[in-house]
Amino acid sequence: MKGEDLLSKTFRDALKKVSSEKNIAVADEILNYISQVLALYYRGLPLYLIDVVESTPFRVYKTKGDVALLLVGLFTEWINRTNRPLKEQDYINAGKLNYYNAYMYLNLNFGDILQQEFEKLSPYQEPSQVLMGHMDIFRDISSNFEKYAYLLKEYREENRQIAHLFDMFNELRQQYLQRFLEDF
């Protein structure tokens, strides 16, 4: 995609691979959206939905939906830790509701949002097409939240396995180095 950043592309390619390997049918538009969300929050994900502070109701709904999706998909153990009043299902419900509210807000306030968001788009993007696409994406994620959280869980698990493999290589290198030093 033109103008796409490397981090977002890397996430999209990895998510597409997991989607294909695990037979999780995910549309390209959703993969693109989730990869952009991952890239956006790569360095600073709010850990609580209450920490989300945005300037418009649309942005609040969108951001809370995004954060809930990432927390459920990537940080399941964290949200399900002992003595927590909120559990995974609470975050799923919050994510579904906030994405649905983002969809409805766009639907009801299309003209106003179009004007507000126009300045944030690149000159190559058609604002009405972008917003219509986001409306479809928000409605879809709201309806299929668990599916997309599962995709992120599978992505996380695959990364854990790769990290474990690299850890094994490091252990083997250390063993060979130790043997070499002992024989030397």
Side-chain angles (χ1 to χ4, degrees):
M1 289 172 43
K2 189 173 183 171
E4 181 180 31
D5 69 292
L6 181 61
L7 187 58
S8 183
K9 180 185 179 331
T10 302
F11 283 133
R12 188 188 69 243
D13 292 346
L15 290 172
K16 191 170 194 163
K17 179 179 178 255
V18 170
S19 174
S20 175
E21 289 175 354
K22 302 295 182 180
N23 290 327
I24 308 169
V26 180
D28 285 340
E29 301 83 35
I30 301 294
L31 289 173
N32 291 338
Y33 180 80
I34 293 173
S35 67
Q36 290 168 0
V37 169
L38 282 167
L40 178 65
Y41 290 108
Y42 179 69
R43 297 191 201 282
L45 175 69
L47 294 178
Y48 299 98
L49 295 180
I50 198 165
D51 292 337
V52 172
V53 178
E54 291 288 347
S55 57
T56 66
F58 166 71
R59 288 266 169 215
V60 170
Y61 298 140
K62 179 197 173 308
T63 303
K64 284 185 177 185
D66 293 346
V67 170
L69 181 65
L70 294 179
L71 290 175
V72 171
L74 299 176
F75 303 101
T76 305
E77 293 85 4
W78 182 84
I79 62 175
N80 285 325
R81 64 191 193 274
T82 309
N83 297 326
R84 294 265 308 144
L86 298 176
K87 297 294 180 200
E88 183 173 349
Q89 190 59 50
D90 298 314
Y91 282 88
I92 289 170
N93 294 340
K96 288 177 135 188
L97 179 64
N98 279 287
Y99 277 126
Y100 183 76
N101 287 341
Y103 160 72
M104 288 302 295
Y105 194 86
L106 275 179
N107 195 21
L108 295 172
N109 300 288
F110 191 82
D112 295 338
I113 298 295
L114 185 63
Q115 191 172 8
Q116 292 170 3
E117 299 295 315
F118 183 74
E119 299 96 29
K120 298 176 186 174
L121 299 175
S122 78
Y124 304 105
Q125 295 175 305
E126 171 61 35
S128 62
Q129 293 295 77
V130 170
L131 289 180
M132 290 296 285
H134 275 79
M135 283 174 57
D136 294 339
I137 288 169
F138 296 143
R139 185 182 60 230
D140 186 299
I141 295 176
S142 175
S143 298
N144 299 297
F145 190 89
E146 292 93 335
K147 175 182 176 178
Y148 303 129
Y150 176 72
L151 172 69
L152 290 174
K153 287 178 184 191
E154 290 297 321
Y155 166 74
R156 180 187 69 170
E157 185 57 34
E158 184 170 299
N159 284 328
R160 278 188 182 161
Q161 290 173 2
I162 291 170
H164 179 68
L165 180 63
F166 284 129
D167 289 343
M168 286 182 359
F169 282 128
N170 283 335
E171 290 173 19
L172 287 173
R173 272 197 318 207
Q174 289 174 355
Q175 289 173 4
Y176 284 123
L177 179 61
Q178 189 174 12
R179 286 184 193 157
F180 175 75
L181 293 175
E182 289 171 358
D183 291 344
F184 185 67

